[in-house]
Amino acid sequence: SQPELMHKYDILFMPDCKNIPLKTLNELKAFVDSGKKLVIFGKDTIEKDEHGQPLPEDIQCQGWGRC
């Protein structure tokens, strides 16, 4: 991922993402924590890393409140 590109925008759209690298998820969380918006749509939520392993509950998007 390229976090410097991400922060040029006020809103990001992420369609149907099932798995995501933990590093990328941390970058997205920092994006949201900075007051920007992340819109995730599709039937699945982000719960697993790129290896199919469950993500720690404290970093899963459901706890962010604005996803």
Side-chain angles (χ1 to χ4, degrees), residues 23-42:
K23 179 182 177 190
T24 303
L25 189 59
N26 282 321
E27 291 165 358
L28 288 169
K29 185 166 185 337
F31 179 86
V32 171
D33 288 346
S34 74
K36 298 185 178 192
K37 307 258 188 232
L38 174 63
V39 178
I40 300 173
F41 54 95

Side-chain angles (χ1 to χ4, degrees), residues 4 6 8 14 18 20 23 29-30 38 57 59 64:
E4 65 278 357
M6 180 186 314
K8 290 183 177 183
M14 188 179 333
K18 298 175 186 176
I20 190 169
K23 179 182 177 190
K29 185 166 185 337
L38 174 63
E57 287 186 27
I59 195 69
W64 298 359

